[in-house]
Each structure stands twice: as C-alpha cells, then as structure tokens.
Amino acid sequence: MPSFNFILLSIIGCGLVTWLSRIIPFVLLKKFNLPKTVLEYLSFVPIVIMSALWFSNLFVQHLGKLPTVNWENALASLPTLISVIVTKSLLVVVVVGMISLACLKFFM
C-alpha cells in the first residue's frame, strides 16, 4: 500500500503540472504576437470542442452495434440550437441547454 507522503506528493505534482500547462500558454502569448492566420485558426477551437461534446452525448454506444440516439439529449438540443442561432452567446447556450435537459428529466 502506498504511503501517505507518496499519495500527497502525487496529488501536488499532478496539480502543479495541470496548473502550469494552463498558465504557461498565457504567459508566452503575452510576449509574442501570433500571425493572423493562427489566430483565425484558433478561433474555431471553442466551436469544435462544443460540437465534440454535443455529438458524444447525442449518441449512445453499444459494443458490436451501431450507436443509438439519446432522444432526451436530442430533444434538449432543439431549444439550445435555437438559442445559438438567436444569441450566439456561449453562456446563453449553456444555460438554455441545462434548463432544457432539466425540464425534460423533470417532466419525463
């Protein structure tokens, strides 16, 4: 069984690595200017992340079979997609999605 010190040092080390990997890019980008094409490319990252999260929750995987649609999440996506078109605000989209799913879970 691992000792308490080993576990504590592992937690502190993992936290430090996680913190540094999030802080170092901000520190470096303050000193350097990125080309416009790189900035344009990076502007698509939030859209890609949200799309990946949405698609991964829209389908349910079954081993050895095709995935099926998670209808609860699909129904909650409808008002969320409307809020995307109307507001184009990430905060509004997340709040509408959470409220939509909560209402579906409450009423179903």
Side-chain angles (χ1 to χ4, degrees):
M1 184 168 149
S3 69
F4 177 76
N5 289 336
F6 175 75
I7 294 172
L8 183 64
L9 288 175
S10 295
I11 292 171
I12 292 171
C14 290
L16 185 65
V17 167
T18 301
W19 184 73
L20 285 175
S21 68
R22 293 173 190 240
I23 297 299
I24 288 175
F26 289 114
V27 171
L28 290 177
L29 288 177
K30 282 193 172 208
K31 294 182 180 182
F32 301 108
N33 290 327
L34 295 175
K36 187 174 180 166
T37 54
V38 173
L39 290 175
E40 185 178 335
Y41 175 77
L42 290 175
S43 72
F44 290 104
V45 170
I47 298 167
V48 171
I49 291 171
M50 289 300 290
S51 298
L53 290 171
W54 180 58
F55 277 110
S56 69
N57 287 309
L58 194 58
F59 298 103
V60 178
Q61 179 184 3
H62 303 287
L63 294 177
K65 298 180 182 177
L66 291 174
T68 57
V69 175
N70 183 338
W71 290 107
E72 196 173 62
N73 288 349
L75 288 174
S77 296
L78 295 175
T80 307
L81 288 173
I82 292 170
S83 71
V84 167
I85 294 168
V86 172
T87 66
K88 294 180 180 64
S89 167
L90 185 59
L91 178 65
V92 172
V93 170
V94 170
V95 169
V96 168
M98 290 173 55
I99 291 171
S100 300
L101 192 57
C103 288
L104 281 171
K105 287 187 181 279
F106 181 74
F107 293 114
M108 290 183 129

mmCIF file of all heavy atoms in Angstrom, residues 78-94:
data_model
loop_
_atom_site.group_PDB
_atom_site.id
_atom_site.type_symbol
_atom_site.label_atom_id
_atom_site.label_comp_id
_atom_site.label_asym_id
_atom_site.label_seq_id
_atom_site.Cartn_x
_atom_site.Cartn_y
_atom_site.Cartn_z
ATOM 1 N N LEU A 78 -32.852 20.938 -29.255
ATOM 2 C CA LEU A 78 -33.639 21.820 -30.123
ATOM 3 C C LEU A 78 -33.702 23.260 -29.606
ATOM 4 O O LEU A 78 -33.355 24.190 -30.342
ATOM 5 C CB LEU A 78 -35.039 21.232 -30.335
ATOM 6 C CG LEU A 78 -35.074 19.909 -31.098
ATOM 7 C CD1 LEU A 78 -36.487 19.361 -31.150
ATOM 8 C CD2 LEU A 78 -34.496 20.082 -32.483
ATOM 9 N N PRO A 79 -34.149 23.507 -28.353
ATOM 10 C CA PRO A 79 -34.126 24.900 -27.895
ATOM 11 C C PRO A 79 -32.706 25.459 -27.775
ATOM 12 O O PRO A 79 -32.491 26.664 -27.950
ATOM 13 C CB PRO A 79 -34.815 24.855 -26.528
ATOM 14 C CG PRO A 79 -34.972 23.448 -26.174
ATOM 15 C CD PRO A 79 -34.758 22.624 -27.388
ATOM 16 N N THR A 80 -31.759 24.587 -27.530
ATOM 17 C CA THR A 80 -30.373 25.030 -27.433
ATOM 18 C C THR A 80 -29.869 25.516 -28.791
ATOM 19 O O THR A 80 -29.208 26.560 -28.873
ATOM 20 C CB THR A 80 -29.486 23.887 -26.907
ATOM 21 O OG1 THR A 80 -30.055 23.389 -25.699
ATOM 22 C CG2 THR A 80 -28.085 24.353 -26.647
ATOM 23 N N LEU A 81 -30.191 24.785 -29.846
ATOM 24 C CA LEU A 81 -29.782 25.213 -31.188
ATOM 25 C C LEU A 81 -30.466 26.513 -31.589
ATOM 26 O O LEU A 81 -29.859 27.360 -32.244
ATOM 27 C CB LEU A 81 -30.090 24.111 -32.205
ATOM 28 C CG LEU A 81 -29.190 22.884 -32.125
ATOM 29 C CD1 LEU A 81 -29.694 21.789 -33.054
ATOM 30 C CD2 LEU A 81 -27.762 23.240 -32.450
ATOM 31 N N ILE A 82 -31.713 26.685 -31.178
ATOM 32 C CA ILE A 82 -32.409 27.944 -31.461
ATOM 33 C C ILE A 82 -31.712 29.104 -30.738
ATOM 34 O O ILE A 82 -31.533 30.184 -31.305
ATOM 35 C CB ILE A 82 -33.900 27.837 -31.070
ATOM 36 C CG1 ILE A 82 -34.600 26.851 -32.002
ATOM 37 C CG2 ILE A 82 -34.579 29.199 -31.112
ATOM 38 C CD1 ILE A 82 -35.997 26.473 -31.572
ATOM 39 N N SER A 83 -31.290 28.858 -29.492
ATOM 40 C CA SER A 83 -30.588 29.918 -28.754
ATOM 41 C C SER A 83 -29.230 30.238 -29.383
ATOM 42 O O SER A 83 -28.771 31.369 -29.306
ATOM 43 C CB SER A 83 -30.433 29.537 -27.287
ATOM 44 O OG SER A 83 -29.507 28.499 -27.129
ATOM 45 N N VAL A 84 -28.608 29.250 -29.999
ATOM 46 C CA VAL A 84 -27.338 29.501 -30.710
ATOM 47 C C VAL A 84 -27.574 30.451 -31.875
ATOM 48 O O VAL A 84 -26.839 31.418 -32.069
ATOM 49 C CB VAL A 84 -26.728 28.179 -31.230
ATOM 50 C CG1 VAL A 84 -25.618 28.438 -32.229
ATOM 51 C CG2 VAL A 84 -26.221 27.333 -30.104
ATOM 52 N N ILE A 85 -28.629 30.177 -32.640
ATOM 53 C CA ILE A 85 -28.915 30.997 -33.821
ATOM 54 C C ILE A 85 -29.290 32.418 -33.415
ATOM 55 O O ILE A 85 -28.857 33.384 -34.032
ATOM 56 C CB ILE A 85 -30.034 30.337 -34.653
ATOM 57 C CG1 ILE A 85 -29.522 29.006 -35.225
ATOM 58 C CG2 ILE A 85 -30.512 31.253 -35.767
ATOM 59 C CD1 ILE A 85 -30.594 28.126 -35.804
ATOM 60 N N VAL A 86 -30.078 32.534 -32.350
ATOM 61 C CA VAL A 86 -30.577 33.850 -31.948
ATOM 62 C C VAL A 86 -29.513 34.684 -31.238
ATOM 63 O O VAL A 86 -29.311 35.853 -31.574
ATOM 64 C CB VAL A 86 -31.831 33.695 -31.045
ATOM 65 C CG1 VAL A 86 -32.255 35.018 -30.454
ATOM 66 C CG2 VAL A 86 -32.964 33.060 -31.833
ATOM 67 N N THR A 87 -28.809 34.110 -30.260
ATOM 68 C CA THR A 87 -27.922 34.917 -29.418
ATOM 69 C C THR A 87 -26.441 34.826 -29.773
ATOM 70 O O THR A 87 -25.714 35.786 -29.574
ATOM 71 C CB THR A 87 -28.064 34.517 -27.941
ATOM 72 O OG1 THR A 87 -27.597 33.180 -27.774
ATOM 73 C CG2 THR A 87 -29.484 34.652 -27.475
ATOM 74 N N LYS A 88 -25.992 33.676 -30.217
ATOM 75 C CA LYS A 88 -24.564 33.425 -30.478
ATOM 76 C C LYS A 88 -23.707 33.676 -29.234
ATOM 77 O O LYS A 88 -22.554 34.066 -29.320
ATOM 78 C CB LYS A 88 -24.072 34.248 -31.652
ATOM 79 C CG LYS A 88 -24.697 33.859 -32.966
ATOM 80 C CD LYS A 88 -24.181 34.706 -34.090
ATOM 81 C CE LYS A 88 -24.786 34.342 -35.401
ATOM 82 N NZ LYS A 88 -26.195 34.542 -35.528
ATOM 83 N N SER A 89 -24.298 33.444 -28.067
ATOM 84 C CA SER A 89 -23.602 33.627 -26.800
ATOM 85 C C SER A 89 -23.414 32.270 -26.141
ATOM 86 O O SER A 89 -24.386 31.550 -25.906
ATOM 87 C CB SER A 89 -24.405 34.549 -25.885
ATOM 88 O OG SER A 89 -23.901 34.497 -24.575
ATOM 89 N N LEU A 90 -22.177 31.936 -25.805
ATOM 90 C CA LEU A 90 -21.881 30.637 -25.206
ATOM 91 C C LEU A 90 -22.570 30.478 -23.857
ATOM 92 O O LEU A 90 -23.084 29.408 -23.534
ATOM 93 C CB LEU A 90 -20.375 30.454 -25.068
ATOM 94 C CG LEU A 90 -19.884 29.105 -24.581
ATOM 95 C CD1 LEU A 90 -20.347 27.991 -25.505
ATOM 96 C CD2 LEU A 90 -18.387 29.099 -24.457
ATOM 97 N N LEU A 91 -22.609 31.544 -23.070
ATOM 98 C CA LEU A 91 -23.268 31.485 -21.766
ATOM 99 C C LEU A 91 -24.755 31.179 -21.911
ATOM 100 O O LEU A 91 -25.291 30.315 -21.216
ATOM 101 C CB LEU A 91 -23.064 32.799 -21.014
ATOM 102 C CG LEU A 91 -23.749 32.880 -19.649
ATOM 103 C CD1 LEU A 91 -23.149 31.859 -18.699
ATOM 104 C CD2 LEU A 91 -23.645 34.273 -19.088
ATOM 105 N N VAL A 92 -25.420 31.855 -22.827
ATOM 106 C CA VAL A 92 -26.856 31.628 -23.045
ATOM 107 C C VAL A 92 -27.087 30.197 -23.535
ATOM 108 O O VAL A 92 -28.019 29.520 -23.089
ATOM 109 C CB VAL A 92 -27.424 32.656 -24.037
ATOM 110 C CG1 VAL A 92 -28.853 32.318 -24.429
ATOM 111 C CG2 VAL A 92 -27.340 34.052 -23.454
ATOM 112 N N VAL A 93 -26.246 29.727 -24.420
ATOM 113 C CA VAL A 93 -26.393 28.376 -24.964
ATOM 114 C C VAL A 93 -26.279 27.333 -23.856
ATOM 115 O O VAL A 93 -27.095 26.405 -23.776
ATOM 116 C CB VAL A 93 -25.334 28.124 -26.067
ATOM 117 C CG1 VAL A 93 -25.300 26.668 -26.471
ATOM 118 C CG2 VAL A 93 -25.604 29.010 -27.258
ATOM 119 N N VAL A 94 -25.284 27.479 -22.985
ATOM 120 C CA VAL A 94 -25.096 26.514 -21.902
ATOM 121 C C VAL A 94 -26.276 26.552 -20.934
ATOM 122 O O VAL A 94 -26.800 25.512 -20.528
ATOM 123 C CB VAL A 94 -23.754 26.781 -21.170
ATOM 124 C CG1 VAL A 94 -23.646 25.961 -19.907
ATOM 125 C CG2 VAL A 94 -22.589 26.498 -22.096
#
